[in-house]
Structure formats: structure tokens, C-alpha cells
Amino acid sequence: MENYLRDIQDIKKMMDRSSQFLSLSGMAGIMAGIYALAGALLANAVIERHAGEYIIIESYTFLRIAAIAAAVLVLSVATAFFLSAAKAKRNGETLWTSASRRLAINFLIPLVTGGIFAVLLIRDRHFGLIVPVTLIFYGLSCLNASKYTVRDVRYLGVTVILIGLLSTAYPGYGLEFWALGFGICHIVYGAMMYYKYDRK
């Protein structure tokens, strides 16, 4: 009877591993948070340097802020890819599996939707909604993808959604909320994931 129960537990673990992508790197989350905080500081320096200037899409200030945001995104994605690939290799696993494909698809659907929505808001000069929209849709992306990876991603998503809603209520602190959601939260949850799953 004891061997039978042990076999059932082993089968359950195998099924969980085949349906979940477990090579997500906690260190990648920490690095993404550091990139976001650095980006927020740079964006704040740009804004302060051009204080009093009305920011429009064609302005040099807006283009610099957009370039900073793009750099943070590219660095975060590249770091997540390389560190997760390294973790998968250490664990003797393949990075691109059916589980990781489902994770990517479920993550990208809300993210791309939010990105398009943000671009439309920028086009119509609704700059005050950019931070809430990016936070909320990123949180929804994490929440939607969390069923294919570790549970901590779900909690990260819920936290970022709540921060996005708060930033809607307090529109004058967009950059601070952006740093909190994309910076501090990534560092905290990345550190939790690193200590729970990566340190072996």
C-alpha cells in the first residue's frame, strides 16, 4: 500500500512538471527590478531637466523617456531568457517545451493587448493613464500565465494589478508607482523565487 501511494505521488509530480515551466529564474526577476528602478531614476532625471515643458509625442523629452522604457523592456526580456535557459540546462531540461509555449502565449496575450492600448492612449495624449494601464495589463499577464509556472507569479500579478489601480487613484505619482510595481515588486518576488527554487 505504501509503495502504491509513493508511485501515485511520483506520477503526480511528473504530470506537474510536464504541465508547468519550472525553469523560470528568480534572479531574472531581481535583475528586471533593478533595470526598472534604474530606468525610473533616468526618466525622473529627464523630466526634472525639462521641468515646465509640455510633453508631447514629438518632443525630445517624450522620445528619451520612451527609449528608456524600451531599453528596460529589452534588457529584462533578454536577461529572463538567458538566465532561464541556464537554469533549464543545469536541471537537465529543455527551455522550449509545451509548458513554456503555453506560458509564453498566455503571458503575451494580455501584454500585447495592453501595449496596443497604451500606444492608442499615447496617440490621443492620455499620458496620465499610461502607467496604470501598463501596470494593470502586466499584472494580468502574470496572473494569466501563472497556472503554467510557479505560484509566486500569481501573487506578483495580483500585487502589480493593485498597484496599477492605486496609481489610477493617485495620478500625480505615476513614476513612483511604476518604480514600485516594476522595480520593487520584481526584486521582492524574484528574491523569494530565487531562495525557494533556485538555490539547490
Short mmCIF file of all heavy atoms in Angstrom, two decimals, residues 81-114:
data_model
loop_
_atom_site.label_atom_id
_atom_site.label_comp_id
_atom_site.label_asym_id
_atom_site.label_seq_id
_atom_site.Cartn_x
_atom_site.Cartn_y
_atom_site.Cartn_z
N PHE A 81 15.46 35.42 -20.53
CA PHE A 81 15.70 34.32 -21.47
C PHE A 81 17.00 33.60 -21.15
O PHE A 81 17.04 32.37 -21.01
CB PHE A 81 15.74 34.86 -22.90
CG PHE A 81 16.07 33.81 -23.93
CD1 PHE A 81 15.09 32.95 -24.40
CD2 PHE A 81 17.37 33.67 -24.40
CE1 PHE A 81 15.40 31.96 -25.33
CE2 PHE A 81 17.69 32.70 -25.34
CZ PHE A 81 16.70 31.85 -25.80
N PHE A 82 18.09 34.35 -21.00
CA PHE A 82 19.40 33.73 -20.80
C PHE A 82 19.51 33.04 -19.43
O PHE A 82 20.05 31.93 -19.33
CB PHE A 82 20.51 34.76 -20.96
CG PHE A 82 20.75 35.15 -22.38
CD1 PHE A 82 20.50 36.44 -22.83
CD2 PHE A 82 21.21 34.23 -23.31
CE1 PHE A 82 20.70 36.80 -24.15
CE2 PHE A 82 21.43 34.57 -24.64
CZ PHE A 82 21.17 35.86 -25.06
N LEU A 83 18.97 33.67 -18.37
CA LEU A 83 19.06 33.06 -17.05
C LEU A 83 18.15 31.85 -16.93
O LEU A 83 18.50 30.86 -16.28
CB LEU A 83 18.73 34.09 -15.97
CG LEU A 83 19.76 35.21 -15.77
CD1 LEU A 83 19.34 36.15 -14.66
CD2 LEU A 83 21.14 34.62 -15.48
N SER A 84 16.97 31.91 -17.53
CA SER A 84 16.06 30.76 -17.51
C SER A 84 16.62 29.61 -18.34
O SER A 84 16.50 28.43 -17.98
CB SER A 84 14.67 31.15 -18.02
OG SER A 84 14.06 32.09 -17.15
N ALA A 85 17.26 29.94 -19.46
CA ALA A 85 17.91 28.91 -20.29
C ALA A 85 19.03 28.23 -19.51
O ALA A 85 19.20 27.00 -19.56
CB ALA A 85 18.44 29.52 -21.58
N ALA A 86 19.80 29.03 -18.78
CA ALA A 86 20.90 28.48 -17.97
C ALA A 86 20.36 27.58 -16.86
O ALA A 86 20.92 26.51 -16.58
CB ALA A 86 21.73 29.61 -17.38
N LYS A 87 19.26 27.99 -16.24
CA LYS A 87 18.65 27.19 -15.17
C LYS A 87 18.12 25.88 -15.73
O LYS A 87 18.28 24.81 -15.12
CB LYS A 87 17.53 27.97 -14.49
CG LYS A 87 16.88 27.22 -13.33
CD LYS A 87 15.78 28.03 -12.68
CE LYS A 87 15.09 27.22 -11.58
NZ LYS A 87 14.00 28.00 -10.95
N ALA A 88 17.46 25.95 -16.89
CA ALA A 88 16.93 24.74 -17.52
C ALA A 88 18.07 23.77 -17.85
O ALA A 88 17.95 22.55 -17.66
CB ALA A 88 16.16 25.10 -18.78
N LYS A 89 19.18 24.31 -18.34
CA LYS A 89 20.33 23.46 -18.67
C LYS A 89 20.90 22.79 -17.43
O LYS A 89 21.25 21.60 -17.46
CB LYS A 89 21.40 24.31 -19.36
CG LYS A 89 22.57 23.51 -19.90
CD LYS A 89 23.55 24.39 -20.65
CE LYS A 89 24.71 23.56 -21.21
NZ LYS A 89 25.67 24.41 -21.96
N ARG A 90 21.01 23.55 -16.33
CA ARG A 90 21.51 22.97 -15.08
C ARG A 90 20.61 21.84 -14.59
O ARG A 90 21.08 20.86 -14.00
CB ARG A 90 21.59 24.05 -13.99
CG ARG A 90 22.74 25.02 -14.15
CD ARG A 90 22.99 25.78 -12.86
NE ARG A 90 21.80 26.44 -12.35
CZ ARG A 90 21.41 27.66 -12.69
NH1 ARG A 90 22.13 28.36 -13.56
NH2 ARG A 90 20.33 28.20 -12.17
N ASN A 91 19.30 21.99 -14.82
CA ASN A 91 18.34 20.98 -14.36
C ASN A 91 18.16 19.85 -15.37
O ASN A 91 17.33 18.96 -15.17
CB ASN A 91 16.98 21.64 -14.09
CG ASN A 91 17.04 22.62 -12.94
OD1 ASN A 91 17.93 22.53 -12.08
ND2 ASN A 91 16.12 23.56 -12.90
N GLY A 92 18.92 19.91 -16.47
CA GLY A 92 18.81 18.88 -17.48
C GLY A 92 17.50 18.94 -18.25
O GLY A 92 17.00 17.91 -18.72
N GLU A 93 16.93 20.14 -18.37
CA GLU A 93 15.66 20.31 -19.05
C GLU A 93 15.85 21.15 -20.31
O GLU A 93 16.89 21.78 -20.52
CB GLU A 93 14.65 20.98 -18.12
CG GLU A 93 14.36 20.17 -16.86
CD GLU A 93 13.53 20.94 -15.84
OE1 GLU A 93 13.34 22.16 -16.06
OE2 GLU A 93 13.11 20.34 -14.84
N THR A 94 14.80 21.18 -21.13
CA THR A 94 14.79 22.00 -22.34
C THR A 94 14.00 23.26 -22.08
O THR A 94 12.94 23.22 -21.44
CB THR A 94 14.14 21.22 -23.51
OG1 THR A 94 14.84 19.99 -23.68
CG2 THR A 94 14.22 22.02 -24.80
N LEU A 95 14.50 24.40 -22.56
CA LEU A 95 13.82 25.67 -22.31
C LEU A 95 12.49 25.75 -23.05
O LEU A 95 11.49 26.17 -22.49
CB LEU A 95 14.72 26.84 -22.72
CG LEU A 95 14.15 28.24 -22.49
CD1 LEU A 95 13.98 28.51 -21.01
CD2 LEU A 95 15.06 29.30 -23.12
N TRP A 96 12.49 25.34 -24.32
CA TRP A 96 11.29 25.49 -25.15
C TRP A 96 10.51 24.18 -25.15
O TRP A 96 10.78 23.26 -25.92
CB TRP A 96 11.67 25.91 -26.56
CG TRP A 96 10.51 26.42 -27.38
CD1 TRP A 96 10.04 25.88 -28.53
CD2 TRP A 96 9.70 27.56 -27.11
NE1 TRP A 96 8.97 26.61 -29.00
CE2 TRP A 96 8.73 27.65 -28.14
CE3 TRP A 96 9.68 28.51 -26.08
CZ2 TRP A 96 7.77 28.65 -28.19
CZ3 TRP A 96 8.72 29.52 -26.12
CH2 TRP A 96 7.79 29.58 -27.16
N THR A 97 9.52 24.07 -24.26
CA THR A 97 8.68 22.89 -24.14
C THR A 97 7.23 23.29 -24.35
O THR A 97 6.91 24.48 -24.52
CB THR A 97 8.83 22.26 -22.74
OG1 THR A 97 8.37 23.22 -21.75
CG2 THR A 97 10.29 21.91 -22.44
N SER A 98 6.33 22.31 -24.31
CA SER A 98 4.90 22.63 -24.45
C SER A 98 4.44 23.52 -23.30
O SER A 98 3.61 24.42 -23.48
CB SER A 98 4.07 21.34 -24.49
OG SER A 98 4.27 20.58 -23.31
N ALA A 99 5.00 23.30 -22.09
CA ALA A 99 4.64 24.12 -20.94
C ALA A 99 5.12 25.56 -21.11
O ALA A 99 4.39 26.52 -20.82
CB ALA A 99 5.20 23.52 -19.66
N SER A 100 6.37 25.74 -21.57
CA SER A 100 6.90 27.09 -21.75
C SER A 100 6.18 27.81 -22.89
O SER A 100 6.01 29.03 -22.86
CB SER A 100 8.41 27.06 -22.00
OG SER A 100 8.72 26.35 -23.18
N ARG A 101 5.75 27.06 -23.92
CA ARG A 101 4.98 27.67 -25.00
C ARG A 101 3.63 28.18 -24.49
O ARG A 101 3.20 29.29 -24.82
CB ARG A 101 4.76 26.68 -26.15
CG ARG A 101 5.99 26.48 -27.03
CD ARG A 101 5.63 25.77 -28.32
NE ARG A 101 5.18 24.40 -28.07
CZ ARG A 101 6.00 23.35 -28.01
NH1 ARG A 101 7.31 23.51 -28.16
NH2 ARG A 101 5.53 22.14 -27.82
N ARG A 102 2.97 27.37 -23.67
CA ARG A 102 1.68 27.80 -23.09
C ARG A 102 1.89 29.00 -22.18
O ARG A 102 1.07 29.93 -22.16
CB ARG A 102 1.03 26.65 -22.34
CG ARG A 102 0.47 25.56 -23.23
CD ARG A 102 -0.42 24.61 -22.44
NE ARG A 102 0.34 23.86 -21.44
CZ ARG A 102 0.89 22.68 -21.66
NH1 ARG A 102 0.78 22.11 -22.84
NH2 ARG A 102 1.55 22.07 -20.70
N LEU A 103 2.98 28.97 -21.42
CA LEU A 103 3.31 30.10 -20.55
C LEU A 103 3.49 31.38 -21.37
O LEU A 103 2.91 32.43 -21.04
CB LEU A 103 4.59 29.78 -19.77
CG LEU A 103 5.21 30.93 -18.96
CD1 LEU A 103 4.32 31.31 -17.79
CD2 LEU A 103 6.60 30.56 -18.48
N ALA A 104 4.27 31.29 -22.44
CA ALA A 104 4.55 32.47 -23.27
C ALA A 104 3.28 33.00 -23.92
O ALA A 104 3.03 34.21 -23.93
CB ALA A 104 5.58 32.10 -24.33
N ILE A 105 2.46 32.11 -24.46
CA ILE A 105 1.23 32.54 -25.14
C ILE A 105 0.28 33.23 -24.16
O ILE A 105 -0.26 34.31 -24.45
CB ILE A 105 0.53 31.34 -25.81
CG1 ILE A 105 1.37 30.85 -27.00
CG2 ILE A 105 -0.88 31.71 -26.28
CD1 ILE A 105 0.91 29.51 -27.56
N ASN A 106 0.08 32.61 -23.00
CA ASN A 106 -0.84 33.19 -22.02
C ASN A 106 -0.31 34.47 -21.40
O ASN A 106 -1.09 35.32 -20.97
CB ASN A 106 -1.14 32.16 -20.91
CG ASN A 106 -2.14 31.12 -21.34
OD1 ASN A 106 -3.34 31.29 -21.19
ND2 ASN A 106 -1.65 30.04 -21.92
N PHE A 107 1.00 34.62 -21.38
CA PHE A 107 1.59 35.86 -20.88
C PHE A 107 1.48 36.98 -21.92
O PHE A 107 1.18 38.12 -21.59
CB PHE A 107 3.06 35.62 -20.53
CG PHE A 107 3.77 36.83 -19.98
CD1 PHE A 107 3.58 37.22 -18.67
CD2 PHE A 107 4.63 37.57 -20.79
CE1 PHE A 107 4.24 38.33 -18.16
CE2 PHE A 107 5.28 38.67 -20.28
CZ PHE A 107 5.09 39.06 -18.98
N LEU A 108 1.71 36.63 -23.19
CA LEU A 108 1.77 37.65 -24.24
C LEU A 108 0.40 38.20 -24.64
O LEU A 108 0.31 39.36 -25.06
CB LEU A 108 2.47 37.07 -25.48
CG LEU A 108 3.98 36.89 -25.36
CD1 LEU A 108 4.53 36.15 -26.55
CD2 LEU A 108 4.66 38.25 -25.20
N ILE A 109 -0.65 37.41 -24.53
CA ILE A 109 -1.98 37.89 -24.97
C ILE A 109 -2.39 39.16 -24.22
O ILE A 109 -2.68 40.19 -24.84
CB ILE A 109 -3.03 36.78 -24.85
CG1 ILE A 109 -2.77 35.70 -25.91
CG2 ILE A 109 -4.44 37.35 -25.02
CD1 ILE A 109 -3.65 34.47 -25.76
N PRO A 110 -2.43 39.16 -22.87
CA PRO A 110 -2.76 40.42 -22.17
C PRO A 110 -1.69 41.49 -22.35
O PRO A 110 -2.01 42.68 -22.43
CB PRO A 110 -2.88 40.01 -20.69
CG PRO A 110 -3.00 38.53 -20.70
CD PRO A 110 -2.25 38.06 -21.91
N LEU A 111 -0.41 41.07 -22.43
CA LEU A 111 0.68 42.05 -22.53
C LEU A 111 0.61 42.82 -23.85
O LEU A 111 0.73 44.05 -23.87
CB LEU A 111 2.03 41.34 -22.41
CG LEU A 111 3.24 42.26 -22.25
CD1 LEU A 111 3.22 42.91 -20.86
CD2 LEU A 111 4.53 41.48 -22.44
N VAL A 112 0.41 42.10 -24.95
CA VAL A 112 0.32 42.76 -26.26
C VAL A 112 -0.93 43.63 -26.32
O VAL A 112 -0.90 44.75 -26.85
CB VAL A 112 0.32 41.71 -27.39
CG1 VAL A 112 0.01 42.36 -28.74
CG2 VAL A 112 1.67 41.00 -27.45
N THR A 113 -2.03 43.12 -25.76
CA THR A 113 -3.27 43.91 -25.72
C THR A 113 -3.04 45.22 -24.96
O THR A 113 -3.43 46.30 -25.42
CB THR A 113 -4.39 43.12 -25.04
OG1 THR A 113 -4.59 41.88 -25.74
CG2 THR A 113 -5.70 43.90 -25.03
N GLY A 114 -2.39 45.14 -23.80
CA GLY A 114 -2.10 46.34 -23.02
C GLY A 114 -1.14 47.26 -23.74
O GLY A 114 -1.27 48.49 -23.65
#
